Amino acid sequence: MSPLQWRAVSADDTRSLRNAFGAFMTGVTIVTAWDADGAPRGFTANSFTSVSLDPALVLVCIAKSANGLPVYEAAEHFAINILGDWQRDLSNTFAGRSPDKFAGVTLLDSERSAPCLADSLSVLCCARRQLIDAGDHLILIGEVLRYRDGVGSPLGYFRGSYIDFAEGSKAIQADLRTAVKVGCLISVDNGLVLVREPGREQWSLPEVFWREGVSQRAVIGEVFRRVGLAGDVAFIYSIFEEGGSGFTRLIFRGDAVGRTDKAPEGLEVRVFGAAEQPWLRVSGDYTVSMIRRFFKEREADNFGIYCDTADGGRIAGIAGKPVHWQDWQH
Ligand SMILES: Cc1cc2nc3c(=O)[nH]c(=O)nc-3n(C[C@H](O)[C@H](O)[C@H](O)COP(=O)(O)O)c2cc1C
């Protein structure tokens, strides 16, 4: 169904409603409080809203399914830690269910009413004022008692992805329906290059959004630079949309021919051989089967091109190796 058509709200399809909610871009916070045993607890929340200046009121919505719900229901005080763009990993940690989210996290000694994350962009210390039952969430309203405000770029969140404002318009796609992400299956010797954000479990292919006005050659160059490699693209390999991501993926395959002098920033880069089954280390059904196909086809030295279609996708075989345009002309 076209995204511009009206949809009836349905309990069986909360995903598309979630996508529509996700069109509202937000910042990211970590809400923290002490539990009854004096241990710090926290969770990532983008439902934070400032409500009133006089009195100074804020709210945040907590899912009734959250492990920590009883803590925030009971705590007299809580803190809203507004995250900067350097705290993406922290956001992922606190969005998880680990019992040990505070390992390695520095708390501010200067504030005791709630655990305050030292490195945050801003911190609001609040006294609980109201708890309102609202469907599958509780709305927690607090009065801000003290706050600190720092400098730096905020961490943003839009349609299920973080937005790095420092990266400018690179990561923001105004219209995801026409957005394209370009990636590359980069071979190094007999392995495949995968990348991983620090703290993440899953690996993924090196990819960048294709911004308006950037040439195809330049965007592929960006993909290689992202992993600190110089290389050659052999051919287009796959075109698909991974379930619900909202953008098309255009995946090339290519070979690394050397390293650039600039090391990749904020990314772990590794080459995986077939024996390590790299397809089991990535997420997304299409991506998994694409990487599996890549290794199989490379063994046979016979690559195909995959294109997703309404009837389940097609693969076209390519006879022989791609020939350089200049050689082909002569
Ligand atoms: C960017 C982002 C925003 C989130 N916002 C909220 C939110 O506003 N309310 C909420 O209850 N959960 C939100 N979550 C999910 C919680 O962080 C997640 O369920 C967490 O596991 C809850 O922690 P707990 O179960 O240990 O209490 C968000 C997750 C992310 C990644």
Side-chain angles (χ1 to χ4, degrees):
M1 194 194 283
S2 146
L4 289 179
Q5 283 176 1
W6 288 107
R7 294 168 189 231
V9 171
S10 146
D12 298 329
D13 181 19
T14 49
R15 173 185 275 268
S16 73
L17 180 62
R18 188 194 286 246
N19 287 346
F21 284 176
F24 184 63
M25 188 181 73
T26 66
V28 183
T29 72
I30 293 176
V31 181
T32 50
W34 298 109
D35 72 12
D37 300 327
R41 299 290 293 267
F43 73 101
T44 301
N46 68 340
S47 57
F48 164 77
T49 301
S50 54
V51 177
S52 161
L53 279 174
D54 186 15
L57 298 176
V58 295
L59 71 77
V60 66
C61 304
I62 310 175
K64 289 180 182 169
S65 58
N67 280 338
L69 183 72
V71 175
Y72 312 108
E73 277 178 310
E76 292 296 322
H77 295 93
F78 63 93
I80 305 278
N81 301 271
I82 300 175
L83 302 190
D85 62 6
W86 57 94
Q87 291 174 298
R88 193 189 279 227
D89 294 344
L90 210 60
S91 169
N92 287 334
T93 303
F94 279 82
R97 298 238 151 173
S98 155
D100 198 17
K101 298 181 188 180
F102 284 85
V105 173
T106 309
L107 298 179
L108 288 174
D109 280 337
S110 50
E111 179 58 48
R112 298 284 180 185
S113 64
C116 298
L117 310 182
D119 204 20
S120 306
L121 180 56
S122 300
V123 186
L124 313 173
C125 288
C126 308
R128 195 190 69 226
R129 287 290 175 251
Q130 239 182 309
L131 267 175
I132 302 170
D133 189 272
D136 52 16
H137 281 61
L138 282 186
I139 303 172
L140 171 61
I141 297 185
E143 181 171 354
V144 183
L145 305 177
R146 287 172 289 283
Y147 60 94
R148 20 187 283 164
D149 199 13
V151 282
S153 291
L155 183 60
Y157 199 68
F158 171 64
R159 285 205 204 272
S161 297
Y162 294 110
I163 299 168
D164 194 337
F165 289 100
E167 285 274 288
S169 60
K170 268 189 199 170
I172 304 173
Q173 295 293 320
D175 183 354
L176 271 175
R177 277 171 296 127
T178 59
V180 174
K181 220 171 188 187
V182 174
C184 195
L185 292 147
I186 303 174
S187 298
V188 174
D189 302 325
N190 275 325
L192 175 72
V193 175
L194 294 181
V195 297
R196 180 163 75 167
E197 285 183 16
R200 281 273 178 98
E201 203 185 312
Q202 296 288 347
W203 292 81
S204 57
L205 281 182
E207 286 182 310
V208 298
F209 271 114
W210 194 348
R211 300 177 325 280
E212 219 179 304
V214 176
S215 71
Q216 178 192 315
R217 207 181 299 176
V219 76
I220 292 173
E222 269 183 46
V223 176
F224 275 86
R225 269 198 303 282
R226 196 167 159 69
V227 288
L229 294 170
D232 270 343
V233 155
F235 223 69
I236 181 79
Y237 193 64
S238 201
I239 306 164
F240 61 94
E241 184 194 325
E242 194 74 80
S245 65
F247 48 83
T248 301
R249 289 198 145 94
L250 197 58
I251 308 293
F252 292 82
R253 67 185 161 83
D255 295 294
V257 295
R259 291 187 186 283
T260 57
D261 20 320
K262 201 160 175 274
E265 274 168 30
L267 266 189
E268 209 179 329
V269 180
R270 238 197 85 183
V271 179
F272 288 90
E276 296 173 280
Q277 300 187 300
W279 50 88
L280 298 182
R281 296 165 188 260
V282 298
S283 60
D285 292 345
Y286 282 92
T287 309
V288 170
S289 59
M290 174 181 68
I291 294 181
R292 202 190 283 272
R293 174 169 76 89
F294 174 75
F295 275 94
K296 237 193 227 166
E297 290 182 342
R298 212 195 27 204
E299 210 176 299
D301 205 12
N302 185 7
F303 290 102
I305 300 174
Y306 176 87
C307 182
D308 197 16
T309 56
D311 59 359
R314 310 256 163 89
I315 291 185
I318 313 171
K321 287 191 192 301
V323 179
H324 201 283
W325 171 242
Q326 278 160 359
D327 301 335
W328 187 81
Q329 278 180 311
H330 297 124

